[in-house]
């Protein structure tokens, strides 16, 4: 059974534009990351949007939710900016119960040397295959349920709300 | 509850020695890989040996087994060469039933540019936290049970024996 | 005879700050780049400033000029942003005739994967050792005299004014 | 006037073959290195051979010499293994006086993370454009004349014979 990866953007997929001298989106790096990982799991990839999650609106989240509902796969990974990953997790967690959905991202762009992106993608792929139906965030090597996660902006990590 | 990572060597941890002009072991890269992944899971690391798994003997495997039994952790990852990973998996699978043990490795050394090492470590870390007690191999983005895995030398991937 | 490397900033030394989610300066990467290149030439490094050259003022350029004049070395490399590298080159070229001064930089930060920084530093180091006294820009694998160089913003390369 | 780059192999261009689990040659990385450096100098590239310089014979050196003589370019770079780079430099230096020929290589393969290859190529490219006719070795950020260079195997660097 295939896994669907929905790409929505975030630091995970940012690149450096040397003419504009700023960070931009061009296209997702997920295919080359899966190739690097020699991933042999059946995976479909769909770029829904490529935005900074600070700019994500409820309309954007509705689009993500609709895509999750319409997907024939019941194992879904969503690459997402870390700034509002917990907001999208809660939005999805309230509405969708019959799939395993794992949100992940990166603190540093995959396109740069010292990124957590490849590690996080590996974690998310494994969690998506095993966790029971529900919505989760996978960051920092662990998973959180959608209703018990927040980003600690000061430390730059994810933690339980407790 | 902490996860124990036992390092045994393999391509995963090879480096290039520019004086001898060959691949050698110096020390494991697992700590820096976990740091790169911003891993916040409680992890202990112990280098048991640093050898090519082609050179691994049953005495070596017994040492690995003893370490697994003595560990207070019940979630264990073993980094291992891919050549005989399935042999060690079977050796452990027959003897140890009360822990979750996940063997992983890499087809290309982490020290080189295009390695699957970081991706595999992320997968293994996630599988170790979720899979029920038993011995597994985590490669190519998926997991295999110890009694149903082999390395396809021609394709350079792991598959079920079926 | 040692070579002096004056660091002034520019894209060359930018890094990604994952908390602020933007490009910043922390400290120069020149020492680690020279180590990577196994450079055995006698080199002194001094960070004069770490700024975007778009923000460089004539006061800043006077500081750079004063440092060049006071240096006991007569072979000097200046790492600099590409945006106004030619402006600083002309500023220095008019005033300093008794040293070999080579300005260089990068279109992509060294801290990222696909940077021209290491290549440019190698070129600049070689040019500084051989070119006669004068002020030069070294980019794109070649050198330009201070009075015949400009940055082609559209193509992102340096060329002669002719 | 174009620069000719003759590729002969050496650690510079080695890669890791994950099936054979050893270092091999596939094809030269010089084109992608020049692209990474945003090199705009006119360069022609020709792979003469891809061998470990420990295995280089006098017949091989004669082939390199013939290629140098026949080249229409009078600025030539030769990528070469470091083990016998000085031998080839002396072989060429005795026979060819009317061109600028710069031999360079790397202590660590470009295909791996921490290589001096890109830095050395930048140095060599700059030296080739400026040095007077003669045969040189460019390593460790500096150049040596063909009759005054040797590799210090213990330290892994190049030095003058003095």
């Amino acid at each position: 059974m295939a896994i669907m990866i929905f790409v929505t953007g975030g630091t995970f997929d940012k690149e450096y534009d040397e003419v504009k001298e700023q960070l931009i989106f061009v296209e997702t790096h997920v295919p080359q990351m899966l190739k690097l990982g020699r991933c042999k799991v059946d995976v479909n990839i769909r770029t829904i949007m490529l935005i900074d999650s600070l700019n994500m609106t409820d309309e954007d989240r509705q689009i993500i939710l609709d895509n999750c509902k319409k997907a024939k796969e019941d194992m879904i990974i969503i690459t997402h900016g870390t700034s509002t990953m917990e907001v999208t997790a809660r939005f999805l967690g309230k509405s969708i119960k019959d799939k395993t959905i794992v949100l992940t991202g990166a603190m540093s762009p995959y396109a740069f040397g010292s990124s957590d992106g490849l590690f996080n993608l590996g974690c998310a792929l494994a969690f998506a295959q095993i966790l029971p139906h529900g919505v989760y965030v996978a960051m920092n090597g662990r998973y959180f349920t959608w209703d018990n996660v927040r980003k600690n902006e000061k430390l730059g990590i994810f933690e339980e709300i407790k």
Side-chain angles (χ1 to χ4, degrees), chain A:
Chain A
M1 168 69 83
I3 296 173
M4 167 60 84
I5 300 181
F6 286 131
V7 171
T8 72
T11 297
F12 190 90
D13 265 326
K14 285 182 182 166
E15 289 184 37
Y16 184 71
D17 179 317
E18 55 196 57
V19 176
K20 296 183 203 164
E21 288 189 45
Q22 54 186 247
L23 298 173
I24 60 165
F25 293 107
V26 180
E27 59 178 9
T28 181
H29 302 84
V30 166
Q32 76 205 58
M33 294 169 77
L34 294 174
K35 193 173 173 202
L36 192 69
R38 280 82 166 156
C39 181
K40 294 296 166 191
V41 174
D42 210 4
V43 170
N44 297 317
I45 305 166
R46 184 150 187 264
T47 299
I48 299 180
M49 60 191 74
L50 276 175
I51 64 175
D52 209 307
S53 71
L54 275 170
N55 303 327
M56 200 176 273
T57 64
D58 282 345
E59 284 72 37
D60 294 321
R61 291 189 173 90
Q62 188 61 47
I63 291 171
I64 296 172
L65 177 58
D66 292 341
N67 271 276
C68 287
K69 284 184 167 174
K70 275 188 301 193
K72 55 187 193 305
E73 297 84 354
D74 83 330
M75 294 180 291
I76 295 172
I77 291 168
I78 302 172
T79 66
H80 193 289
T82 58
S83 303
T84 64
M85 193 184 294
E86 65 204 70
V87 178
T88 304
R90 281 193 290 273
F91 188 95
L92 296 175
K94 290 188 189 130
S95 307
I96 186 160
K97 312 284 180 185
D98 64 339
K99 303 195 178 198
T100 301
I101 299 176
V102 181
L103 288 88
T104 196
M107 293 302 295
S108 184
Y110 173 72
F112 303 170
S114 48
S115 172
D116 47 334
L118 188 62
F119 178 82
N120 293 342
L121 185 63
C123 288
L125 206 78
F127 283 133
Q129 293 175 67
I130 308 294
L131 287 171
H133 287 167
V135 177
Y136 307 88
V137 162
M139 286 293 291
N140 304 114
R142 48 172 305 205
Y143 75 93
F144 306 83
T145 53
W146 66 271
D147 54 357
N148 191 15
V149 62
R150 72 177 165 213
K151 182 184 180 188
N152 181 320
E153 284 290 351
K154 209 154 144 202
L155 299 178
I157 62 169
F158 281 76
E159 56 190 18
E160 290 176 324
I161 298 169
K162 230 177 295 308

